[in-house]
Amino acid sequence: MEQLRVKERIEELVHILEEANYNYYVLDNPTITDQEFDQLLRELEKLEENYPQFASINSPTKRVGGMVIDKFKKINHTIPMLSLPDVFSEEEIVAFDERIRKSGIEPDYVCELKIDGLSVSLHYEKGEFLTGATRGNGVIGEDITHNVRTIKSVPMKLKNESTIEVRGEIYMSKETLAKLNHQRSELNMPLLQNCRNAAAGSIRQLDSKIAAKRSLDTWIYHLPNPEDYNIKTHYEALKFMKQLGLKTNPESKLVHGVNGILEFIKEYTEKRPTLSYDIDGVVIKVNDIASQKKLGFTSKYPKWAIAYKFPAEEVLTKLTDIIFTVGRTGRITPNAVLEPALVMGSTVKRATLHNEDYIIEKGLKIGDIVSIRKAGDVIPEVVEAKLERRTGNEKEFQMITKCPICDSELEKKVGQIDHYCLNSNCPARHIEGLVHFVSRHAMNIDGFGEKIMEDFFNLGFIKSILDIYHLENHKEDLIELEGYGKKSVDNLLIAIENSKQNSLERLLFGLGISGIGDKTALLLSRTYKTLENLSTKTKEELQELKDIGPILAKNVEEYFSNVDNITLINNLKELGINTKYLGEEIKNNEIISGKRFVVTGTISFMGREEIEQIISNYGGQASGSVSKKTDVVIVGEKAGSKETKARELGIEIWGEEKLYSLLKNLGEI
Ligand code: IVH
């Protein structure tokens, strides 16, 4: 293709793809299918690869990330990025309105949702996206341009050639946070507390590939210099920014007087749980720009706007009992049993009371009317006892002295706040073994976290592995429990039923034989094919296997000489749990089979061990170090020296996308 034609086609593709992004992410009105989009994007990628001289930094191909910086540059805000004074009551809103009227202004207000994210300043030059910066200390922020480019609702080209600064909020939707936390829980990573922290953490990534995966979004709500565009009111500024292709919030409303403000607040206090993003209040701004100018600023805040913050929703209910649960480490937790109460759209029946000191500090008595609220809108907590509602029939709280499960004396070490059951044979310790049995690399029963197992254990539903397969008998009780519900219980029971078909290595690993990790379990399963066959092997025979040393061999032999274990296995078989190896015999894939792989760095959608397990299921070999014998190195986030070495040795490298599409084709995800 002659150069000019190429240049034109690139420009055309950039235009079509940006327009598609705009329709999809800003207007929420897709105009082309995902397949069409991908096809055009690939065409553009190819052209840009072959003709890098025509590739623009703001090309749609750059939205997937790829730019890594080593530190954040500072950006000066020529107009400081101020925050807003918080108010919490109707009186304060009335006072705000009166102050403005006293200065001779007859105000109209724009009410907007106060988005719970982090503020951002965007600069465009002649319509082209130039920089994105955080607020920082208001005067100096951090340059997050590389990450902002990955936010699909931020246009890389405005609808005209304006040179302009706009400000708004970067946020993460509730759904994205839930997905991200689901992934993190699978990888045993700490969960993100709320949408704001998650958005802030994502935007402060040095590697824009990570930010790109976090599906961040924006609402633009502020034009710092409206006079430059001859704009007279804030409401006009919102319309103007919308016309430029920026994503402005459709809920913003022009209202008259305090009543209009209060109605808006009432409306959105109710709608808040149904919004797809988190808000923590309502922002009230004087509409007229000349009036804003007249009112001016304090050193910290504009005098023409305030932020009304929603109160955390508190509900009164009765504390009917305090019960104690035992964790897998023996730690005792007191829990409030509450008369069911609706808080922020969900029923709360239980709340943790953490430890004895916590209850004493709050002076709680059984039978008290207490206020409860959802901290961070997620975890229910008991705020306080309503002393004025006491009848005299309340019961003093008494900390238990004996383990509720095994009755041994509890201990509270000096300087510690928690009580522990120190009996290492306490059945509560079995929780650990049970959690292991259902875990991802063992029987992989989806929907069974540690907390759920603790709950079921403490409620007496599950005391042993066998009870897991009898959980069906407690179905009605489970549905009644706080936070479960019919659908999740049904899914859990289906997952339990499906796990019966697992290949032997999962069961073997799940049994928790000392020293048998998932790799050894696979090796033993592959070699001996059935649990019966394995159970007859002597330690000498076992040691003939390359990776089995004397200790492992002894552990296996001992396990199968214990009658309790044999009874357990027989019972499991009777319940229909498969004890045969099904691995490679049913799986084969020429891309994986016979090759040596190294997985390095963090793969966002799956844990490393699971990827290695799949490789091995398909006849590949996964190893920990890169050598000349390595065929493929799979690199995730923060892949370090192994990637470098692979490049030096010229070994084939797969990124996340390649792995993802292969696993998808194989039906593994
Ligand atoms: S206006 C001078 N509007 O709340 C104008 N701020 O406490 C300043 N925020 O730092 C901001 N939603 O991060 C404005 N609709 C909205 C907002 C909003 C969220 C945040 C923003 C600001 C903080 C002020």
Side-chain angles (χ1 to χ4, degrees):
M1 234 192 285
E2 74 178 88
Q3 299 247 340
L4 188 62
R5 283 268 303 116
V6 173
K7 188 163 179 279
E8 274 170 13
R9 180 62 181 157
I10 286 183
E11 280 167 8
E12 186 180 24
L13 286 167
V14 166
H15 179 74
I16 299 171
L17 290 165
E18 260 302 282
E19 219 28 47
N21 260 333
Y22 173 72
N23 290 325
Y24 188 100
Y25 292 100
V26 180
L27 301 184
D28 196 14
N29 178 25
T31 44
I32 64 173
T33 65
D34 288 357
Q35 286 85 337
E36 283 167 329
F37 187 92
D38 285 345
Q39 203 179 349
L40 294 168
L41 191 69
R42 256 181 311 216
E43 185 188 342
L44 180 59
E45 262 166 7
K46 255 229 149 68
L47 287 175
E48 287 182 349
E49 210 176 287
N50 294 334
Y51 300 88
Q53 67 273 33
F54 301 137
S56 132
I57 181 81
N58 283 341
S59 161
T61 56
K62 304 291 190 300
R63 291 214 186 251
V64 291
M67 182 155 166
V68 184
I69 59 169
D70 52 9
K71 65 176 189 328
F72 292 98
K73 280 194 303 225
K74 302 286 175 213
I75 283 196
N76 258 315
H77 300 301
T78 33
I79 304 175
M81 283 181 86
L82 300 179
S83 73
L84 300 173
D86 290 335
V87 303
F88 297 91
S89 65
E90 188 176 325
E91 292 79 65
E92 287 171 287
I93 295 171
V94 171
F96 168 68
D97 180 62
E98 277 174 3
R99 171 169 63 73
I100 288 163
R101 285 178 194 281
K102 270 198 193 127
S103 66
I105 293 167
E106 276 288 313
D108 279 338
Y109 296 107
V110 177
C111 287
E112 291 173 10
L113 301 181
K114 185 168 189 307
I115 317 297
D116 210 3
L118 66 141
S119 41
V120 67
S121 149
L122 306 176
H123 277 270
Y124 288 84
E125 200 172 78
K126 298 210 181 96
E128 289 281 341
F129 173 67
L130 193 64
T131 53
T134 63
R135 190 167 93 88
N137 63 9
V139 179
I140 300 168
E142 280 178 329
D143 185 344
I144 49 165
T145 308
H146 65 306
N147 288 335
V148 172
R149 210 171 263 128
T150 69
I151 305 177
K152 309 278 198 348
S153 63
V154 173
M156 289 296 102
K157 205 175 174 63
L158 297 175
K159 303 269 177 211
N160 67 29
E161 301 209 334
S162 295
T163 295
I164 195 168
E165 179 189 3
V166 295
R167 293 176 184 175
E169 202 85 350
I170 292 179
Y171 71 95
M172 183 181 278
S173 75
K174 293 178 190 170
E175 193 188 343
T176 304
L177 178 73
K179 274 194 198 144
L180 192 60
N181 270 343
H182 180 73
Q183 280 172 6
R184 291 174 78 96
S185 76
E186 309 253 282
L187 299 171
N188 267 333
M189 288 163 79
L191 301 189
L192 298 162
Q193 278 308 304
N194 53 47
C195 293
R196 179 172 16 90
N197 290 355
S202 307
I203 211 70
R204 290 205 82 263
Q205 296 287 336
L206 294 168
D207 181 350
S208 59
K209 265 214 178 94
I210 305 181
K213 289 199 192 95
R214 298 286 170 86
S215 310
L216 295 171
D217 211 331
T218 50
W219 292 120
I220 301 300
Y221 49 63
H222 187 59
L223 180 64
N225 40 9
E227 312 79 5
D228 293 1
Y229 309 93
N230 199 23
I231 282 170
K232 303 275 191 272
T233 68
H234 176 63
Y235 203 63
E236 241 182 83
L238 291 176
K239 267 202 250 159
F240 172 69
M241 294 190 290
K242 183 175 176 197
Q243 276 159 7
L244 287 179
L246 295 153
K247 193 172 167 206
T248 55
N249 193 307
E251 321 287 346
S252 302
K253 198 170 167 194
L254 186 61
V255 304
H256 308 287
V258 170
N259 279 344
I261 298 174
L262 297 179
E263 268 165 34
F264 187 90
I265 290 176
K266 185 163 175 284
E267 182 181 346
Y268 284 94
T269 304
E270 278 159 25
K271 284 193 181 155
R272 184 181 179 195
T274 66
L275 294 171
S276 62
Y277 46 92
D278 263 350
I279 57 171
D280 60 344
V282 166
V283 177
I284 302 138
K285 301 173 179 174
V286 169
N287 187 34
D288 182 54
I289 304 285
S291 304
Q292 289 185 1
K293 284 262 131 29
K294 189 168 165 202
L295 288 159
F297 298 88
T298 69
S299 62
K300 270 167 84 183
Y301 305 126
K303 289 187 185 165
W304 43 265
I306 48 172
Y308 168 81
K309 296 283 274 280
F310 293 130
E313 191 186 354
E314 283 192 21
V315 172
L316 295 186
T317 188
K318 188 170 181 177
L319 174 65
T320 55
D321 201 359
I322 294 178
I323 58 166
F324 298 87
T325 52
V326 191
R328 66 187 174 92
T329 56
R331 190 164 71 124
I332 309 292
T333 308
N335 297 272
V337 180
L338 304 161
E339 255 173 25
L342 200 66
V343 197
M344 292 216 44
S346 66
T347 308
V348 176
K349 294 182 194 166
R350 266 184 49 191
T352 176
L353 294 172
H354 305 287
N355 52 56
E356 180 187 18
D357 292 356
Y358 185 87
I359 301 172
I360 294 172
E361 240 166 62
K362 294 201 177 274
L364 301 177
K365 291 186 183 186
I366 294 163
D368 268 339
I369 298 296
V370 292
S371 61
I372 57 170
R373 75 166 169 224
K374 283 198 167 178
D377 297 346
V378 210
I379 309 146
E381 83 178 339
V382 173
V383 183
E384 59 180 10
K386 295 287 164 194
L387 301 182
E388 67 281 8
R389 301 279 299 264
R390 283 210 170 137
T391 61
N393 292 332
E394 294 76 18
K395 250 177 48 202
E396 283 300 329
F397 161 71
Q398 194 71 53
M399 184 62 196
I400 49 168
T401 55
K402 294 202 165 137
C403 172
I405 303 285
C406 73
D407 213 34
S408 35
E409 218 42 60
L410 298 181
E411 274 213 25
K412 183 181 177 185
K413 295 220 177 74
V414 186
Q416 269 186 354
I417 47 173
D418 292 310
H419 286 73
Y420 281 89
C421 164
L422 296 181
N423 173 10
S424 57
N425 290 320
C426 174
R429 304 281 169 123
H430 295 167
I431 297 172
E432 193 164 11
L434 293 166
V435 170
H436 172 74
F437 185 81
V438 299
S439 67
R440 209 168 161 78
H441 304 299
M443 294 302 267
N444 191 23
I445 304 181
D446 224 13
F448 235 144
E450 186 174 318
K451 181 76 191 69
I452 295 183
M453 193 60 90
E454 275 187 19
D455 271 1
F456 290 3
F457 186 89
N458 283 297
L459 292 163
F461 298 156
I462 294 180
K463 296 263 179 235
S464 74
I465 289 177
L466 284 178
D467 293 338
I468 296 172
Y469 292 96
H470 289 130
L471 197 60
E472 178 91 41
N473 301 340
H474 300 285
K475 186 168 173 183
E476 295 312 313
D477 301 318
L478 299 181
I479 292 172
E480 284 299 297
L481 286 177
E482 149 73 3
Y484 291 86
K486 182 159 180 346
K487 191 149 192 261
S488 60
V489 171
D490 279 345
N491 286 342
L492 181 61
L493 293 174
I494 291 171
I496 291 173
E497 190 56 32
N498 289 343
S499 75
K500 290 182 176 173
Q501 307 307 325
N502 283 340
S503 180
L504 171 60
E505 67 278 13
R506 288 188 170 275
L507 175 63
L508 191 55
F509 177 51
L511 290 174
I513 304 171
S514 178
I516 306 292
D518 55 349
K519 292 218 174 75
T520 317
L522 182 62
L523 172 73
L524 292 171
S525 306
R526 253 194 208 145
T527 313
Y528 298 113
K529 305 288 188 242
T530 69
L531 198 57
E532 294 73 10
N533 190 20
L534 169 66
S535 69
T536 61
K537 300 296 163 206
T538 63
K539 56 179 183 289
E540 289 75 23
E541 282 172 299
L542 292 164
Q543 272 189 74
E544 283 168 19
L545 291 181
K546 197 169 119 269
D547 292 322
I548 307 284
I551 299 175
L552 273 186
K554 184 163 152 284
N555 290 347
V556 174
E557 192 190 67
E558 267 176 20
Y559 184 88
F560 290 108
S561 347
N562 181 325
V563 290
D564 291 343
N565 294 334
I566 298 300
T567 313
L568 168 70
I569 290 167
N570 286 337
N571 286 332
L572 285 170
K573 278 207 291 202
E574 243 165 62
L575 286 166
I577 284 118
N578 170 59
T579 54
K580 295 192 178 67
Y581 175 59
L582 312 170
E584 295 151 318
E585 287 156 27
I586 54 161
K587 290 175 176 176
N588 193 20
N589 177 276
E590 56 184 29
I591 303 178
I592 298 178
S593 179
K595 287 194 187 146
R596 286 174 195 250
F597 290 80
V598 173
V599 185
T600 179
T602 311
I603 306 290
S604 64
F605 57 86
M606 197 181 263
R608 186 167 50 78
E609 286 172 36
E610 197 186 351
I611 298 168
E612 289 177 351
Q613 164 99 55
I614 296 173
I615 289 173
S616 133
N617 290 348
Y618 285 90
Q621 214 181 319
S623 99
S625 57
V626 177
S627 74
K628 273 187 285 187
K629 289 190 191 146
T630 311
D631 294 296
V632 177
V633 176
I634 302 175
V635 300
E637 275 167 24
K638 301 226 172 77
S641 58
K642 289 183 195 172
E643 180 178 359
T644 321
K645 186 156 180 201
R647 289 196 191 280
E648 277 164 17
L649 294 173
I651 293 166
E652 186 174 341
I653 293 184
W654 293 2
E656 284 211 5
E657 289 74 20
K658 168 116 187 192
L659 178 67
Y660 189 87
S661 67
L662 175 64
L663 297 185
K664 191 119 195 142
N665 281 337
L666 294 173
E668 294 289 340
I669 30 182

